[in-house]
């Protein structure tokens, strides 16, 4: 917050809807007010203003927000303006401010922070943009892709700036692609490279470390791993998001009953956040281990010896445990509800088949033999709910790499699923899966080699958790130097050979790590040596298993791994997004198809003019009439004095590159990209 406020003067903090969410994600309003901020205002709302105070604007570079800013300048709402942009202004808006005399007289400081992203966890960043998925994969959204790539690249650049990393960029290039979006990662990687190169040209010290190896940025997309978003997970965080109605918004909350069965019973939204020690300690553990830890922690604090089911009753009945109530109620409820569904829906039986389909191996590590019979038995079981049957069918068809249309129809009928799910299944082809084949085609099963070879079951790993996300295998192969350079080529020169060899020799069982410098990338662990940073951007959404993999690799190796993505996904949400890939684009309501936001009209309202004074020599009758009429009038407030114009030499910094290094319009400078029409 010290970056935003000069402690020597009081200021008004002015934000917009989007920038306020960014701010609320990392800091509380009380902390803001402790930094010599009198109060916080929304630029889109009605405000009185105060010509005796400076305003600190923390705002988005959107055209309608610039309109709001210009309205403030025109009305001299504040004494002076200090502006922090969440992202770079467009050339058009920058010229508009630079050519405005009102802006020149009001702005005393302007800077671009490049912070238009949302830290979710210590090593996880999201853009809170689920509409990214249909824009990238819906056939009717092809004309939106270029602008969306530009927006994604700017946000990825912001993450790199926050970490002070000018990384080597590698991207996913499928070797046996079957879908138009197979060139997605190569195009996006080039957009990111251009953004970083341009920033580096203006700030030569960016990413110039001498104490740690150069970072690496991987640009991959959802087609890297289609099994992961469909599997049942048995770690706490992933399972809770899959099975429970956890609400994703500005905060991540779970609604539950507090003081159940008592006179003060109520429903309350409890937050799952980085400030919750129990959540951080248990979220990546298997549910069985989570249950044991909650029981152990409670028993240690209470001096009792009880099981999970009895703890909730003790919290409700015994007054001496009230201080522990808030800390445990949320997680006891989540864990017990998940475990109840585990039995009701026969998830252990379902997951054994899911794991076999995803790995291509059975529990003993042998090739699958009777997987179709096992699948049919589950589809016939009335305990398996419809959503789980659909997931099984989708997993089976991805595994088979193409079947005739009639086979899919028969599977849907056998699973008692509506015929409409046929289009949902076939939509997986937009992400690279092969679902259909003609009668004349030979079976393609097993002909296309997987991106990563299946690995034998690891001793000690539960049979229902045998599958390893492709993202984790990618990281392991990168660290050991065995990553296929044809499938994951580099855009820019690799690290010096001797340095790269030293990196590749790092053990996968190194000491636990220290974390990154930004507050959102902090940890209790301490580094003992400079560590390479790896950033992975997953276009189209990332799973919680992939997030867990980043933490596991960071803990097991000499790397710090950060995951960035448009949004987090769980199975039901992923299937819903896949289903939408065949609906009419007009029903998607993607942001580019909505009316452009406009500045509120009230910002441009002129104050009411004061009535003219009575003329001298008016008759007593007229004077009496005038006095009578004025008795019911409200005199409008005097206009506030305007601040003195700033000297012409004190021109505002608009947050753009310094003079002589003006950024050329990218649309004129870049070669035309024909997205999803050619392969690179």
């Amino acid at each position: 917050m010290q970056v935003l406020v000069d402690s020597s003067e009081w200021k008004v903090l002015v934000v917009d809807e989007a920038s306020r969410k960014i701010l609320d994600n990392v800091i509380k309003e009380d902390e803001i007010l402790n930094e010599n901020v009198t109060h916080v205002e929304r630029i889109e709302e009605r405000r009185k203003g105060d010509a005796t105070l400076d305003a600190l604007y923390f705002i988005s570079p959107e055209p309608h927000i610039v309109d709001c800013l210009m309205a403030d300048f025109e009305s001299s709402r504040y004494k002076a303006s200090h502006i922090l942009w969440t992202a770079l202004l467009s050339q058009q808006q920058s010229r508009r401010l630079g050519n405005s005399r009102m802006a020149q007289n009001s702005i005393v400081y302007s800077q671009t922070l490049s912070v238009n992203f949302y830290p979710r966890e210590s090593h996880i960043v999201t853009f809170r943009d689920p509409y990214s998925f249909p824009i990238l994969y819906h056939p009717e959204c092809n004309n939106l892709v270029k602008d969306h790539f530009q927006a994604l690249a700017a946000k990825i650049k912001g993450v790199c700036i926050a970490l002070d990393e000018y990384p080597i960029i590698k991207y996913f290039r499928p070797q046996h692609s079957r879908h138009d979006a197979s060139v997605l990662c190569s195009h996006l990687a080039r957009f990111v490279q251009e953004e970083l190169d341009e920033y580096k040209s203006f700030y030569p010290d960016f990413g110039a470390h001498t104490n740690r190896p150069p970072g690496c940025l991987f640009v991959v997309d959802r087609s890297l791993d289609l099994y992961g978003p469909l599997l049942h997970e048995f770690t706490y965080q992933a399972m809770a998001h899959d099975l429970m109605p956890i609400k994703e918004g500005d905060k991540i909350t779970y609604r539950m009953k507090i003081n159940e069965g008592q006179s003060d019973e109520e429903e309350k939204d409890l937050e799952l956040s980085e400030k919750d020690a129990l959540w951080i300690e248990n979220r990546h553990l298997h549910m069985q281990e989570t249950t044991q830890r909650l029981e152990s922690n409670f028993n240690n604090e209470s001096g009792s010896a009880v099981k999970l089911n009895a703890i909730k009753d003790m919290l409700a009945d015994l007054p001496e445990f009230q201080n522990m109530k808030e800390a445990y109620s949320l997680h006891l409820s989540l864990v017990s509800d998940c475990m109840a569904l585990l039995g009701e829906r026969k998830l252990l039986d379902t997951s054994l088949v899911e794991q076999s389909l995803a790995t291509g191996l059975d529990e003993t590590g042998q090739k699958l033999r009777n997987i179709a019979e096992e699948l049919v038995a589950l589809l016939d079981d009335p305990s398996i709910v419809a959503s789980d049957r659909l997931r099984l069918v989708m997993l089976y068809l991805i595994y088979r790499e193409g079947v005739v249309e009639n086979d899919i129809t028969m599977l849907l009928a056998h699973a008692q699923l509506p015929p409409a799910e046929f289009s949902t299944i076939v939509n997986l082809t937009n992400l690279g899966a092969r679902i259909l084949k003609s009668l004349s085609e030979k079976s393609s099963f097993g002909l296309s080699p997987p991106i990563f070879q299946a690995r034998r079951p690891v001793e000690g790993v539960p049979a229902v958790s045998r599958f390893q996300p492709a993202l984790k295998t990618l990281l392991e192969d990168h660290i050991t130097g065995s990553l296929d350079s044809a499938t994951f080529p580099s855009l820019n020169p690799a690290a010096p050979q001797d340095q790269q060899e030293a990196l590749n020799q790092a053990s996968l069982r190194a000491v636990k790590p220290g974390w990154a410098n930004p507050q959102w990338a902090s940890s209790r662990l301490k580094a003992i040596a400079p560590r390479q940073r790896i950033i992975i951007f997953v276009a189209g959404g990332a799973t919680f298993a992939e997030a867990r993999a980043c933490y596991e690799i960071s803990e097991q190796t000499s790397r710090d791994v950060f995951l960035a993505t448009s949004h987090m996904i769980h199975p039901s949400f992923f299937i819903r997004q896949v289903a939408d890939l065949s609906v009419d684009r007009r029903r998607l309501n993607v942001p580019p198809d909505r009316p452009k936001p406009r500045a509120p009209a009230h910002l441009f309202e002129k104050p009411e003019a004061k009535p003219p004074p009575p003329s001298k020599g008016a008759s007593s009758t007229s004077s009496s009439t005038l006095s009578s009429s004025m008795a019911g009038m409200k005199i409008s407030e005097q206009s506030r004095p305007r601040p003195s114009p700033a000297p012409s030499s004190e021109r505002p910094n608009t947050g753009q590159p310094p003079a002589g290094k003006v950024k050329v319009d990218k649309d004129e400078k870049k070669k035309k990209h024909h997205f999803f029409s050619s392969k690179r």
Side-chain angles (χ1 to χ4, degrees):
M1 192 62 197
Q2 283 75 14
V3 177
L4 306 181
V5 182
D6 179 0
S7 59
S8 64
E9 295 183 9
W10 288 91
K11 294 181 177 67
V12 179
L13 178 60
V14 183
V15 298
D16 58 59
E17 181 181 8
S19 67
R20 181 60 191 259
K21 291 180 179 179
I22 294 173
L23 210 56
D24 288 344
N25 191 61
V26 293
I27 191 171
K28 293 182 178 179
E29 185 165 335
D30 288 345
E31 297 175 276
I32 296 173
L33 298 179
N34 287 336
E35 298 290 343
N36 282 17
V37 171
T38 60
H39 60 285
V40 182
E41 296 181 345
R42 278 274 300 276
I43 197 170
E44 307 99 327
E45 297 176 351
R46 290 185 181 273
R47 293 161 286 137
K48 291 183 179 180
D50 190 334
T52 65
L53 285 176
D54 284 6
L56 172 64
Y57 290 89
F58 178 64
I59 52 179
S60 311
E62 301 299 327
H64 71 288
I65 299 300
V66 177
D67 289 341
C68 296
L69 183 65
M70 296 295 285
D72 281 5
F73 295 157
E74 185 175 354
S75 62
S76 299
R77 199 178 299 275
Y78 306 104
K79 183 173 70 173
S81 302
H82 309 255
I83 305 176
L84 296 171
W85 302 99
T86 61
L88 193 67
L89 273 169
S90 68
Q91 288 293 313
Q92 179 183 359
Q93 298 301 329
S94 180
R95 286 193 294 267
R96 180 183 176 191
L97 290 174
N99 295 334
S100 168
R101 176 65 62 182
M102 293 183 300
Q104 292 176 18
N105 290 340
S106 180
I107 300 174
V108 297
Y109 179 80
S110 180
Q111 183 180 354
T112 299
L113 296 182
S114 297
V115 291
N116 52 340
F117 55 85
Y118 299 89
R120 180 185 175 109
E121 298 178 8
S122 63
H123 280 204
I124 311 298
V125 169
T126 73
F127 301 157
R128 293 186 183 175
D129 184 16
Y131 289 101
S132 180
F133 185 90
I135 291 175
L136 293 175
Y137 298 111
H138 196 292
E140 296 177 15
C141 292
N142 193 48
N143 66 314
L144 303 178
V145 172
K146 180 180 178 182
D147 288 343
H148 188 60
F149 276 176
Q150 192 64 66
L152 288 177
K155 293 176 181 180
I156 296 170
K157 176 191 69 175
V159 174
C160 293
I161 292 172
L163 293 170
D164 192 25
E165 287 292 343
Y166 181 52
I168 298 166
I169 298 180
K170 298 185 178 184
Y171 62 92
F172 175 44
R173 183 171 63 189
Q175 296 300 293
H176 303 279
S177 60
R178 311 182 184 97
H179 61 303
D180 291 340
S182 62
V183 295
L184 186 160
C185 297
S186 63
H187 284 306
L188 179 55
R190 286 173 173 81
F191 272 80
V192 176
Q193 187 71 69
E194 290 175 4
E195 287 281 342
L196 291 173
D197 289 347
E198 182 180 57
Y199 188 84
K200 178 74 170 178
S201 68
F202 295 127
Y203 302 96
D205 292 338
F206 166 55
H209 327 113
T210 56
N211 63 336
R212 70 169 180 263
C216 184
L217 168 65
F218 283 95
V219 177
V220 302
D221 79 305
R222 191 61 269 154
S223 68
L224 176 72
D225 183 355
L226 293 180
Y227 289 112
L230 296 170
L231 296 174
H232 282 93
E233 279 277 335
F234 288 86
T235 49
Y236 181 24
Q237 182 184 44
M239 190 175 192
H241 278 273
D242 183 3
L243 302 181
M244 296 292 105
I246 293 176
K247 184 179 179 181
E248 292 267 356
D250 295 340
K251 295 181 179 180
I252 304 164
T253 58
Y254 178 64
R255 177 168 284 266
M256 57 172 289
K257 287 184 179 180
I258 302 295
N259 303 321
E260 189 172 359
Q262 301 181 22
S263 58
D264 57 345
E265 176 182 320
E266 63 172 330
E267 285 196 346
K268 188 176 181 180
D269 289 324
L270 297 182
E271 184 180 2
L272 296 164
S273 73
E274 291 295 281
K275 297 179 181 178
D276 185 342
L278 283 173
W279 177 242
I280 294 175
E281 179 183 348
N282 293 284
R283 64 188 172 195
H284 296 149
L285 299 181
H286 194 277
M287 285 297 288
Q288 183 178 1
E289 189 175 355
T290 300
T291 301
Q292 294 170 351
R293 281 208 182 187
L294 286 174
E295 291 174 354
S296 175
N297 290 346
F298 180 85
N299 292 336
N300 289 339
E301 293 189 35
S302 65
S304 306
V306 294
K307 294 295 183 181
L308 185 69
N309 293 335
I311 294 177
K312 293 173 70 175
D313 296 333
M314 292 182 66
L315 288 173
D317 296 338
L318 300 178
E320 59 265 33
F321 294 130
Q322 291 306 303
N323 292 334
M324 300 165 57
K325 195 172 208 175
E326 285 294 321
Y328 281 92
S329 293
L330 169 61
H331 300 289
L332 292 172
S333 180
L334 267 177
V335 170
S336 59
D337 290 349
C338 285
M339 296 303 287
L341 288 177
L342 180 69
E344 290 174 16
R345 291 166 53 173
K346 293 189 174 179
L347 294 183
L348 290 176
D349 295 338
T350 303
S351 295
L352 288 174
V353 174
E354 290 177 350
Q355 293 287 315
S356 295
L357 292 170
T359 60
L361 303 172
D362 63 19
E363 298 173 54
T364 64
Q366 303 300 314
K367 289 186 177 181
L368 302 181
R369 294 182 180 275
N370 302 311
I371 193 64
E373 289 79 358
E374 295 179 43
L375 173 70
V376 169
L378 285 173
L379 297 181
D380 286 339
D381 191 330
S383 300
I384 310 300
V385 299
S387 60
D388 290 344
R389 294 198 297 272
L390 177 59
R391 287 160 70 168
L392 282 167
V393 171
M394 295 174 79
L395 286 165
Y396 176 72
L397 293 172
I398 295 172
Y399 163 76
R400 282 296 308 273
E401 299 182 12
V403 298
V404 296
E405 182 176 333
N406 189 54
D407 286 351
I408 299 178
T409 304
M410 292 176 62
L411 272 174
L412 290 175
H414 201 85
Q416 300 181 48
L417 294 170
E421 299 294 9
F422 181 90
S423 63
T424 300
I425 295 170
V426 174
N427 286 346
L428 287 169
T429 58
N430 294 334
L431 284 81
R434 185 177 186 188
I435 301 298
L436 289 170
K437 75 178 187 68
S438 66
L439 285 170
S440 59
E441 285 183 273
K442 293 182 179 180
S443 174
S444 59
F445 178 66
L447 295 182
S448 299
I451 300 170
F452 300 107
Q453 293 298 322
R455 303 191 178 188
R456 300 284 176 180
V458 178
E459 186 178 352
V461 174
V464 293
S465 301
R466 307 192 312 268
F467 175 78
Q468 176 169 292
L471 184 144
K472 185 174 184 180
T473 308
L474 181 159
L475 289 168
E476 290 176 345
D477 288 356
H478 165 71
I479 292 170
T480 58
S482 58
L483 188 65
D484 180 14
S485 60
T487 306
F488 297 95
S490 175
L491 274 183
N492 42 14
Q497 187 64 30
D498 56 343
Q499 186 181 60
Q500 190 63 49
E501 288 178 359
L503 289 173
N504 292 341
Q505 291 171 1
S507 170
L508 281 173
R509 299 295 171 193
V511 295
K512 291 188 176 182
W515 308 99
N517 293 330
Q519 185 175 1
W520 55 266
S522 61
S523 172
R524 297 179 297 275
L525 303 174
K526 295 182 179 180
I528 63 170
R531 300 161 58 85
Q532 185 193 35
R533 288 170 172 169
I534 303 173
I535 306 165
I536 296 192
F537 177 74
V538 183
T543 68
F544 292 97
E546 289 166 339
R548 183 181 71 249
C550 293
Y551 285 99
E552 290 172 347
I553 293 296
S554 295
E555 291 170 357
Q556 296 168 0
T557 73
S558 58
R559 309 295 198 280
D560 286 330
V561 184
F562 299 91
L563 175 68
T565 186
S566 54
H567 61 298
M568 298 301 294
I569 57 175
H570 52 79
S572 60
F573 184 49
F574 174 69
I575 292 173
R576 191 161 67 248
Q577 289 203 300
V578 171
D580 286 342
L581 294 181
S582 54
V583 305
D584 189 286
R585 171 174 161 177
R586 290 170 293 186
R587 292 176 52 193
L588 296 175
N589 193 31
V590 293
D593 289 345
R594 300 172 190 169
K596 299 297 182 185
R598 302 180 65 179
H602 64 76
L603 291 175
F604 305 96
E605 294 174 355
K606 302 294 182 183
E608 295 181 8
K610 293 193 302 182
S615 59
K616 292 183 179 180
S619 65
S620 59
T621 304
S622 301
S623 177
S624 173
T625 304
L626 182 60
S627 299
S628 175
S629 359
M630 290 184 66
M633 293 182 65
K634 294 182 179 179
I635 306 299
S636 60
E637 183 180 344
Q638 295 282 342
S639 299
R640 299 187 184 275
R642 292 180 178 268
S644 302
S648 59
S649 60
E650 296 179 13
R651 296 182 64 85
N653 176 0
T654 63
Q656 300 300 314
K661 294 186 178 181
V662 178
K663 177 180 174 183
V664 179
D665 190 346
K666 292 188 177 180
D667 289 338
E668 300 173 3
K669 174 180 171 183
K670 292 180 182 175
K671 294 181 179 179
K672 185 175 180 181
H673 292 286
H674 299 278
F675 294 100
F676 303 167
S677 60
S678 62
K679 299 176 184 177
R680 298 204 170 187

